[in-house]
Amino acid sequence: MTRNQDMGRRAAVVLCVTAVLMGPGSPAGASAGTAAAGQSPRADALVYIADLHSDTVSVVDAGSGTVVGSVPVGDGPDSVAVSPDGSRVYVTNSAADTVSMIDARTRKVIDTVAVGDEPSRVTVSPDARNVYVANVGSDDVSVISTRTGAVTDTIRVGRAPLGVAVTPDGCTLYVANAASGTVSVVRTATGTVTGTIPVGGGPTALALTPDGRHLYVSNLTSDDVSVVDVHDGTESDRIPVGDQPAGIGVRPDGRRVYVADIGSDTVSAISTRRRAVTETIAVGRGPNGLAVSPDGSRVFVSNFDADTLSVIDTSTGRVTDTVAVGDGPTGVAVAVAVAVGVTQGKRA
């Protein structure tokens, strides 16, 4: 990476869990299921992982922990997001300055869209009409129309934008600016920045609670998570977590926030009521991407330095499976599977 080298290469590959499914109305992912937390994940739920060094997206069956596909994409895939109906997967290719659009049924790239410099995080609007891409090298956000596959707007934000998240109503986009220590507030209807919220050091990933009232921000360089009151537009709390927190996600019931701690090789589980870490879970080396299953029963964590995906049972706080994926896994997203023409699975 040509910019942000002071935060290290991995700072640019950590996942924004706005691509995580947080249940109905979530900004980036498909979730038709409403099973209570603690139930086993659906057998047809799929986990998509961007493999930075393999230039692929690994597809894992969430129920069996089996790799069921590997999709070649562009150079340096960093982040991944899924459309609300699960039919499309969007991948940022950080070294190619493009976004790959994958048909989930055929598991093939059907379009490639040129965006800004070094695209990092990506998310999809709740109505599936727009894809938002944070470009860390050009300090802006590209807006892609899913109907035409063209960039319809470019929004200037803070320095080195990484995390992106859209409110459940689709009206507001939040952007974490790693080099500015801020979150930009964008009105999606006009593409204008309406506010800037100071947070911790090196804000990297964002996650909204399902009710849209609070925004959680992982701060890579200050080793904490900011809690932003969306109504007031201010930081209301700061929660210490592990070393170099990156990917972040919220359970559908809003009771827990999970954070991947790159430097600690752990996941911190935060109680949203107590606003404190209640569990610290050991995973693989270099955890950065993180996604919560649609029913809240599992957390999926990509381990960049181990080339694996850790599966955590949220009811026990234990790792129940470790799946070998591509080289340098980064972004993670979960979706309910759509029908696939041919599926050839293998146990990793």
Side-chain angles (χ1 to χ4, degrees):
M1 176 161 290
T2 57
R3 301 188 58 184
N4 266 7
Q5 291 183 349
D6 58 319
M7 289 190 290
R9 172 60 177 159
R10 286 184 296 174
V13 300
V14 287
L15 171 70
C16 170
V17 187
T18 55
V20 176
L21 289 179
M22 296 188 298
S26 73
S31 177
T34 57
Q39 292 182 354
S40 298
R42 291 171 52 114
D44 60 348
L46 296 176
V47 186
Y48 296 92
I49 306 102
D51 306 314
L52 186 76
H53 293 157
S54 299
D55 298 337
T56 57
V57 170
S58 295
V59 186
V60 174
D61 182 281
S64 66
T66 302
V67 176
V68 295
S70 179
V71 185
V73 289
D75 190 6
D78 188 0
S79 179
V80 59
V82 187
S83 63
D85 66 358
S87 66
R88 294 288 183 270
V89 181
Y90 300 91
V91 186
T92 56
N93 304 307
S94 61
D97 298 341
T98 61
V99 170
S100 294
M101 182 190 301
I102 299 171
D103 186 312
R105 293 178 176 84
T106 63
R107 293 180 187 154
K108 293 182 179 180
V109 174
I110 57 175
D111 200 2
T112 302
V113 183
V115 289
D117 186 16
E118 298 175 20
S120 55
R121 304 290 83 81
V122 59
T123 193
V124 186
S125 64
D127 61 8
R129 293 183 178 180
N130 294 301
V131 174
Y132 299 98
V133 183
N135 303 304
V136 68
S138 50
D139 300 338
D140 55 31
V141 173
S142 297
V143 183
I144 301 172
S145 166
T146 58
R147 184 179 63 83
T148 64
V151 173
T152 58
D153 199 3
T154 301
I155 306 166
R156 296 288 297 182
V157 288
R159 292 186 296 128
L162 286 175
V164 282
V166 187
T167 53
D169 62 9
C171 295
T172 305
L173 173 72
Y174 294 97
V175 185
N177 305 304
S180 300
T182 61
V183 172
S184 295
V185 184
V186 179
R187 183 182 180 190
T188 56
T190 60
T192 55
V193 175
T194 60
T196 302
I197 305 169
V199 289
T204 300
L206 305 174
L208 280 157
T209 52
D211 60 11
R213 295 177 60 183
H214 293 97
L215 178 72
Y216 287 83
V217 186
S218 60
N219 301 310
L220 188 80
T221 60
S222 56
D223 299 338
D224 50 31
V225 169
S226 295
V227 184
V228 173
D229 187 304
V230 169
H231 178 73
D232 294 339
T234 58
E235 181 188 55
S236 59
D237 211 343
R238 192 88 63 85
I239 305 168
V241 289
D243 187 16
Q244 293 183 296
I248 188 169
V250 184
R251 258 177 43 164
D253 60 12
R255 295 179 181 179
R256 290 286 186 275
V257 174
Y258 296 90
V259 189
D261 307 314
I262 293 178
S264 302
D265 296 341
T266 58
V267 168
S268 296
I270 298 171
S271 165
T272 55
R273 181 180 63 84
R274 295 170 56 184
R275 293 194 175 179
V277 173
T278 56
E279 290 179 290
T280 301
I281 305 160
V283 289
R285 290 181 293 113
N288 58 82
L290 184 150
V292 182
S293 67
D295 62 5
S297 67
R298 297 291 186 271
V299 174
F300 302 95
V301 186
S302 62
N303 303 305
F304 184 82
D305 295 325
D307 299 336
T308 59
L309 180 77
S310 293
V311 183
I312 299 171
D313 185 322
T314 59
S315 65
T316 64
R318 295 180 179 179
V319 174
T320 59
D321 202 1
T322 302
V323 184
V325 291
D327 188 4
T330 57
V332 183
V334 189
V336 174
V338 295
V340 177
V342 178
T343 301
Q344 295 179 337
K346 65 176 182 177
R347 180 62 180 169

